[in-house]
Amino acid sequence: MSTAAVLAGLKMALARLKVARTLVTFVVAVAAVLVIAVVERAASSAGAADRSLAAVFRFIVPLSVIVLIGTATGGLNLREAAWPASRFGHPRSNVALGIVLASAAVGVVLSVVVALAALLASRAGAEAGRAALPLATDLLTTAWIAVLAGGAYAAWLGFGATFGKKGGGRLWFLAVDFFLGGAGTAGLVLPRGGITHLIGGEAPFGLSQAASSAIVPAVAIVCLVLGSLRCRD
Amino acid sequence: MLSGVVARDRSGARGAPRGSLTGASLSLGVGVVAILGAPEDGSIALFDVLSGHRRPERGEVRVAGKDPARDVEARRRIGAVGLSAALPAAATVAQAIEIARSAHGSSSSPQAVLDTIGLGALGRRKPASLTSAEARAVELAIALATESPALLVVHEPFSDMARSSDETLASLEAIGKSAAVVVLTSSPADARRFERVLVLARGFVARESTGAHPVLGAPAACHLVAWIASGARELAAALAGRAEVASLILSADAPGGLAVVRLAGTDMDALASAFAEAAATTGADVEALREMAPVTPEVTAMTEWEVRARQLTAMHVAASDARLRAELAAADAAARAAAYAGRGYAPAQHQAQTGPADLAPAWGPAAPAELSPGVLAPAEGAEQPAVEQPTAEPPRGGDGSEGQK
């Protein structure tokens, strides 16, 4: 593992992410979750936070992270996206790993921001005693799940970006996650299954939440390794 | 070193190939070599495999004994400047150079790299703000700063480059003293700056020309172009009668009101002498005079002609070889038949089939009747294929300011 190559990939991806598109993604995501939270609260204040967070982790985070991955790779296959740095002698797999790690870092920030925004907006004005958890505990738990979700989706979709000439595989990976990432067997290894379980949804394969919270980062690490391997020289 | 390389680029629309290599083999040592070919002939595909960007679909590429597409050590010793710049994304140009230099663990500063080509002012700019010519010049600076280079491959170093051609040429030749330098270009004029020129056609190296003035067009074709301030019509009239001048075009469409005289002949020295004498006789005011490189269609025509000639020669040799084998087999059979006949039990049909004349094999490779001997080799005095005369600008008609011999 070449640290210089991973750093080169990180720097390159962060430079690509410093564009208006990233800011627009953040703004649109936050605006969307605020609308969702207000609508859910208007429908029924009981469970509004849970329903808002479900929408955040099932739709907003994956869709935002796929935009971030596309921006970080310059709309290219991950292998091609690593070329501008690897052409000088950096190992391509390490540069690709750096690109996904940078996307994951930004994805985690976005995920935490939108999740907390959804939580606060859906709990605003609700009676303190009606909530299942104290606000501080709820914030911490939500933030932890958001970190897992942002990182897991970045790794999953980054792996997807190694397929297709322009990295179009990430769209297929997103579709697979949407349609198969439920409580079934596939949900065990797909981000949607584990994350949904962590926010109170159905458990894939009947696992405990502790197991899901271990499986989600483990699968993310496997995706990082596989994506990196697919980009090796 | 390339051996039977088959590769495609992805520079067309939606990643479609624009050109491909169809079995290119090439061995390069220290020195500068120009490879003349358009992207459709596979020049981008060649750049991609040499720089390690893509693996060939078939064949083998070795730089310093290693595959550049798989070996990072090989890539560290390759400097590459492509048709479109591919600088690493970074906040500033200096940071982009830093990313490149970090692969080598180099201690030289980005500013020092830029200063080598006089572009130090670009260090604080954003890479996205650079023009294509500036970005390619930065890539050239990085390529020239490669430590212990084994290969420097540069695509079109004299166009779309924010650096003078002479400086670039000097830099390439300096690197060429210790490493292989490959210059890919589609311009015959740029290729002729180098003493060794390979012509890439339809995906393989079709021709090679070496020497101070590489022959890229027809072997006995030379062209002069002169810009005339006054007396162009008189000069053209004087030149029209000279035997050294095979064709002449006079046009008055050059910028600044200058007339342009284009001459073609078979002997450059004779052509230049005829021009000088005519200019002295007529008192024409000659602003500039230069030798013209053959235009791309002429190079293509000559390349096709040579490739076809080689193919016909190969077919001819194969046909002669087959005939010779048949004749030897027949002679052998006849000899055996004769030997059997001497022992008194030879079949009569053997003697009937082979006469005495058949016993002598024809050793000389007689040309098949359908082949024209003039096509087999571009010999001195052989009739050359008709090629279009190079015309940088089409002559303008209507005002009576042009004439053609």
Side-chain angles (χ1 to χ4, degrees):
Chain A
M1 166 87 71
S2 163
T3 313
V6 176
L7 281 174
L10 265 167
K11 287 177 186 172
M12 229 169 38
L14 289 175
R16 285 180 183 146
L17 285 164
K18 278 185 191 168
V19 290
R21 190 180 180 189
T22 306
L23 187 63
V24 169
T25 306
F26 266 78
V27 170
V28 169
V30 170
V33 298
L34 290 178
V35 169
I36 290 167
V38 169
V39 169
E40 290 293 352
R41 204 179 62 197
S44 166
S45 59
D50 290 343
R51 293 195 304 276
S52 298
L53 287 175
V56 164
F57 291 124
R58 283 175 182 168
F59 299 104
I60 305 296
V61 170
L63 290 173
S64 302
V65 171
I66 201 169
V67 174
L68 295 178
I69 288 280
T71 308
T73 57
L76 297 170
N77 182 294
L78 184 59
R79 186 179 169 78
E80 285 294 310
W83 174 245
S86 62
R87 59 183 289 210
F88 299 107
H90 287 300
R92 214 189 284 240
S93 56
N94 293 177
V95 176
L97 179 63
I99 291 172
V100 180
L101 286 177
S103 309
V106 178
V108 162
V109 171
L110 181 142
S111 179
V112 170
V113 167
V114 295
L116 295 186
L119 181 67
L120 291 172
S122 56
R123 284 182 61 136
E127 293 171 30
R130 300 280 303 274
L133 286 171
L135 181 61
T137 310
D138 214 357
L139 284 173
L140 276 176
T141 308
T142 303
W144 162 241
I145 296 170
V147 167
L148 287 181
Y153 272 110
W156 173 248
L157 298 174
F159 179 36
T162 64
F163 296 90
K165 279 184 183 174
K166 300 280 182 187
R170 61 186 186 273
L171 292 169
W172 289 102
F173 273 53
L174 183 69
V176 166
D177 181 66
F178 266 131
F179 294 112
L180 302 179
T185 311
L188 193 64
V189 293
L190 295 173
R192 188 183 173 94
I195 299 295
T196 304
H197 181 211
L198 288 177
I199 58 171
E202 198 176 346
F205 227 61
L207 289 173
S208 67
Q209 281 198 331
S212 284
S213 64
I215 287 172
V216 170
V219 169
I221 290 168
V222 169
C223 287
L224 278 175
V225 171
L226 290 177
S228 179
L229 284 176
R230 275 189 53 81
C231 294
R232 70 187 183 279
D233 289 302
Chain B
M1 189 274 288
L2 276 76
S3 175
V5 168
V6 175
R8 281 182 286 188
D9 63 47
R10 287 187 193 168
S11 56
R14 303 174 69 86
R18 191 173 164 194
S20 58
L21 296 176
T22 56
S25 295
L26 182 62
S27 186
L28 300 169
V30 171
V32 187
V33 59
I35 297 182
L36 177 61
E40 288 71 21
D41 291 316
S43 62
I44 296 177
L46 180 60
F47 177 86
D48 285 351
V49 296
L50 282 176
S51 62
H53 190 184
R54 298 190 203 292
R55 292 176 200 145
E57 291 169 16
R58 264 187 286 151
E60 196 177 53
V61 180
R62 287 280 179 273
V63 175
K66 293 171 180 170
D67 180 356
R70 294 177 182 274
D71 193 286
V72 292
E73 290 299 330
R75 284 210 299 276
R76 283 176 191 152
R77 298 184 62 195
I78 296 173
V81 183
L83 269 184
S84 49
L87 285 172
T92 64
V93 170
Q95 286 180 15
I97 296 173
E98 189 59 49
I99 288 174
R101 305 295 286 156
S102 65
H104 304 263
S106 171
S107 57
S108 61
S109 71
Q111 196 60 39
V113 171
L114 287 171
D115 286 339
T116 55
I117 60 164
L119 292 176
L122 296 182
R124 288 193 213 95
R125 294 259 302 271
K126 290 181 180 176
S129 76
L130 299 179
T131 64
S132 171
E134 287 172 336
R136 274 168 44 86
V138 171
E139 287 203 339
L140 180 66
I142 297 171
L144 293 174
T146 304
E147 290 174 4
S148 348
L151 172 68
L152 179 63
V153 52
V154 190
H155 208 152
E156 300 292 2
F158 306 121
S159 62
D160 196 25
M161 178 76 76
R163 197 178 186 223
S164 81
S165 297
D166 290 341
E167 287 174 338
T168 303
L169 180 63
S171 301
L172 296 177
E173 286 180 340
I175 297 283
K177 288 174 183 165
S178 58
V181 177
V182 175
V183 172
L184 294 162
T185 179
S186 56
S187 160
D190 286 346
R192 290 190 74 188
R193 291 168 178 261
F194 303 97
E195 291 197 356
R196 187 181 176 204
V197 180
L198 306 177
V199 180
L200 190 66
R202 290 182 291 169
F204 62 94
V205 178
R207 291 169 67 195
E208 175 169 2
S209 182
T210 55
H213 295 283
V215 176
L216 300 175
C222 49
H223 307 277
L224 276 179
V225 59
W227 286 264
I228 314 295
S230 64
R233 293 176 69 84
E234 293 77 11
L235 176 66
L239 283 167
R242 301 293 297 248
E244 300 91 337
V245 180
S247 73
L248 181 151
I249 297 172
L250 169 65
S251 56
D253 52 0
L258 297 177
V260 180
V261 174
R262 294 176 177 84
L263 304 173
T266 56
D267 183 339
M268 179 55 79
D269 291 340
L271 198 62
S273 297
F275 181 86
E277 285 172 19
T281 307
T282 59
D285 185 3
V286 180
E287 290 284 328
L289 175 70
R290 61 172 290 190
E291 182 185 356
M292 266 180 73
V295 291
T296 302
E298 188 182 1
V299 176
T300 306
M302 274 310 298
T303 305
E304 294 288 334
W305 185 80
E306 282 197 18
V307 169
R308 183 69 184 139
R310 277 205 299 272
Q311 287 172 344
L312 288 172
T313 305
M315 286 165 54
H316 176 194
V317 169
S320 298
D321 189 48
R323 194 175 64 176
L324 184 59
R325 285 171 188 275
E327 286 170 353
L328 286 173
D332 184 52
R336 285 169 186 265
Y340 285 131
R343 292 174 198 167
Y345 50 88
Q349 65 269 27
H350 279 254
Q351 288 173 341
Q353 286 174 351
T354 57
D358 296 329
L359 296 175
W363 291 96
E370 68 273 15
L371 300 181
S372 165
V375 177
L376 293 176
E380 185 91 9
E383 187 178 335
Q384 301 298 328
V387 291
E388 198 175 318
Q389 289 297 339
T391 51
E393 298 154 344
R396 196 173 59 193
D399 58 1
S401 61
E402 65 175 78
Q404 183 159 4
K405 182 181 176 183

